Amino acid sequence: MVSHSPASPPSRAAILEILDSVKDPEVPVLSVRELGIVRDVEVDDAGAVTVTVTPTYSGCPAIQAIEDDILAALATAGVADARVVTSYAPAWTTDWIEADARAKLKAYGIAPPRPAEHGGLVQLLRARTAPPCPYCDSRDTEIRSEFGPTACKSVCWCRSCGQPFEEFKAF
Amino acid sequence: MTAPSVLPPPPPAPHDELELLLRLGDDRLVLGHRLSEWCGHAPILEEDIALANVALDLLGQATMLLRRAGEVEGKGRDEDALAYWREAVEFRNCLLVEQPNGDFAFTMARQFLFDVYAVVTLDAVSRSTNAELAAIAAKALKEAKYHVRHSGEWMLKLGDGTDESHRRVQGALDELWRFTPELFAADDVAARLAAEGIGPDLPALRAHWHELVHDVVERATLTLPHESSHTPHLNGGRAGMHSEHLGHLLAEMQIVARSHPGAKW
């Protein structure tokens, strides 16, 4: 945790470092920066901080908790003059999750997202292949349910090691 | 069904953009609430979770749209005030989404018809000259695309499933078809919005919608109801003329907020 003296305005880099400590409440292995939720940070001349975030899914119930967590982390680090604003464009995509964050997801037992599709409006009967098992790397897996316990994940099953696992859906 | 089949003379529209936001937002608020009624009652656990997920997406989209509606209106109403404190006549959703859930086939047929409507309209609105609206539509479109994959695959499973599932989903299509012309009816508000490049050109989108629906219905071994055979088209939702079902839905949705104004937990 970076602590910040109220006497001098915080640097943008210091704010970003603080945001690295804020984890997603539903995927606590990733920070809100690693998930791509934090889109911008501005520090004005008076030291007021504006953090721009974008929601993952429209109805993601975690977004309010994430905003509260960001403000709490900044306050704990001595940055009291801060606000969070929401931006919808460009729309969030799992393609923003970087390679090291994907490795963390896999180590946590969640198959990382594959590249998002940007094609046509209605894509039916395109049997989606199941992701490799994050535990044993087997490809002998199946998708049990496209919808999982959170909006961002589907539920899969590994036939090789018998382990159920979640997949972070490409979106 | 008591909804009138003829629109009354359009009331003066003080704010076309507000109307559009309410129409888009209320479709999603009402359908999201309908889907949430399945929570704990769906035929299998995976489907219970799926319907709740889709409901949550729709409520999230409604939140974005109604929040923006409140800003555009400029009377200090936020998305909660618009959801919980308007009467049925102030709701602008289409009649399709307020129809009761019926059985699972009925819910899925209703969802499929709406999901295809959502992708074609959101795709158009994502190119709106209104940047705020375009951003919300582009975000919602990504979700609508996987919603239609879900409901479309259920149309195939049910239509091309057992005699019983086929009979039920065909019956649902036959029952719901009369609510679909309303989706593409352009009143003066919609026509002005389309001319200004803000809203979708609804009549022009109908052919694409019909083509996408027909493709799935045919593969599901189902039959689209004949245009000539259905009962008179039902509309009026965009002008606040709703079926009796909306009042019951709102009574349940609004009672806690109205009984305990400003309650927090």
Side-chain angles (χ1 to χ4, degrees):
Chain A
M1 182 65 66
V2 181
S3 70
H4 169 71
S5 154
S8 61
S11 71
R12 190 168 180 279
I15 300 298
L16 290 172
E17 202 172 325
I18 293 165
L19 294 178
D20 275 332
S21 72
V22 180
K23 304 299 182 192
D24 181 280
E26 288 178 343
V27 191
V29 71
L30 293 188
S31 78
V32 291
R33 274 188 79 196
E34 287 172 310
L35 264 175
I37 293 172
V38 174
R39 303 311 303 155
D40 195 19
V41 169
E42 283 179 45
V43 184
D44 72 12
D45 294 341
V49 174
T50 302
V51 179
T52 303
V53 298
T54 196
T56 53
Y57 288 74
S58 302
C60 179
I63 191 71
Q64 186 60 51
I66 287 170
E67 291 186 19
D68 293 346
D69 289 350
I70 287 173
L71 292 176
L74 291 172
T76 302
V79 182
D81 189 3
R83 65 188 188 118
V84 177
V85 298
T86 301
S87 158
Y88 296 126
W92 180 79
T93 167
T94 46
D95 289 350
W96 291 342
I97 299 174
E98 304 282 355
D100 54 342
R102 287 165 191 265
K104 287 184 192 175
L105 279 175
K106 182 172 182 294
Y108 190 64
I110 298 174
R114 289 169 286 173
E117 294 175 19
H118 303 286
L121 291 183
V122 177
Q123 301 169 333
L124 291 175
L125 288 179
R126 292 176 34 135
R128 211 162 67 76
T129 56
C133 174
Y135 295 99
C136 74
D137 295 319
S138 167
R139 294 188 170 273
D140 189 14
T141 54
E142 62 183 88
I143 297 171
R144 282 282 171 89
S145 174
E146 286 282 357
F147 295 85
T150 68
C152 55
K153 290 182 240 126
S154 59
V155 177
C156 307
W157 169 258
C158 177
R159 296 193 195 94
S160 295
C161 69
Q163 177 72 37
F165 63 93
E166 292 176 318
E167 177 203 22
F168 209 112
K169 284 190 274 195
F171 184 65
Chain B
M1 194 62 50
T2 56
S5 60
V6 179
L7 273 174
H15 206 315
D16 289 348
E17 185 190 350
L18 174 61
E19 277 295 310
L20 178 58
L21 287 160
L22 292 175
R23 291 173 185 194
L24 291 168
D26 288 345
D27 278 355
R28 286 154 181 82
L29 175 63
V30 170
L31 185 57
H33 187 84
R34 277 285 181 238
L35 289 182
S36 75
E37 293 172 359
W38 275 102
C39 195
H41 301 279
I44 52 173
L45 178 61
E46 287 81 356
E47 205 42 44
D48 207 286
I49 293 167
L51 291 172
N53 263 264
V54 176
L56 200 56
D57 284 340
L58 291 171
L59 290 178
Q61 294 170 13
T63 301
M64 294 193 288
L65 290 157
L66 294 181
R67 182 183 298 151
R68 182 68 190 146
E71 291 167 3
V72 164
E73 185 188 49
K75 292 182 182 171
R77 293 202 284 185
D78 64 7
E79 64 272 22
D80 286 339
L82 289 168
Y84 295 129
W85 294 93
R86 280 180 301 152
E87 304 300 325
V89 293
E90 298 169 273
F91 275 74
R92 293 291 179 264
N93 58 281
C94 59
L95 301 179
L96 174 73
V97 296
E98 71 197 38
Q99 299 310 305
N101 285 338
D103 59 16
F104 184 71
F106 192 88
T107 289
M108 273 305 149
R110 184 189 63 197
Q111 193 64 30
F112 173 67
L113 295 173
F114 179 81
D115 286 341
V116 181
Y117 174 64
V119 292
V120 298
T121 49
L122 292 173
D123 179 54
V125 178
S126 72
R127 293 186 293 274
S128 170
T129 54
N130 181 310
E132 291 276 350
L133 198 53
I136 293 172
K139 174 130 199 82
L141 175 60
K142 294 183 67 169
E143 292 159 358
K145 282 187 188 180
Y146 72 75
H147 295 169
V148 77
R149 195 168 72 199
H150 177 246
S151 60
E153 285 177 1
W154 268 113
M155 292 299 285
L156 301 179
K157 281 182 212 167
L158 295 172
D160 196 15
T162 64
D163 289 346
E164 178 72 1
S165 68
H166 180 96
R167 182 183 67 76
R168 290 198 186 204
V169 75
Q170 182 64 58
L173 267 184
D174 294 344
E175 169 74 15
L176 288 165
W177 197 248
R178 61 199 168 133
F179 297 108
T180 60
E182 181 189 29
L183 303 177
F184 300 97
D187 59 4
D188 290 346
V189 174
R192 280 195 300 271
L193 286 161
E196 292 164 25
I198 296 170
D201 183 353
L202 292 170
L205 293 175
R206 189 175 184 184
H208 190 200
W209 175 85
H210 196 280
E211 181 191 331
L212 294 170
V213 168
H214 181 257
D215 175 51
V216 173
V217 163
E218 195 167 55
R219 280 194 275 164
T221 73
L222 296 164
T223 312
L224 278 189
H226 291 295
E227 295 289 333
S228 57
S229 68
H230 44 90
T231 50
H233 302 163
L234 294 171
N235 59 25
R238 303 303 189 199
M241 309 285 285
H242 292 281
S243 64
E244 70 272 31
H245 305 299
L246 183 65
H248 295 277
L249 180 150
L250 293 182
E252 185 172 300
M253 190 181 83
Q254 296 175 332
I255 189 168
V256 173
R258 291 185 177 210
S259 303
H260 306 278
K264 293 192 186 307
W265 64 86

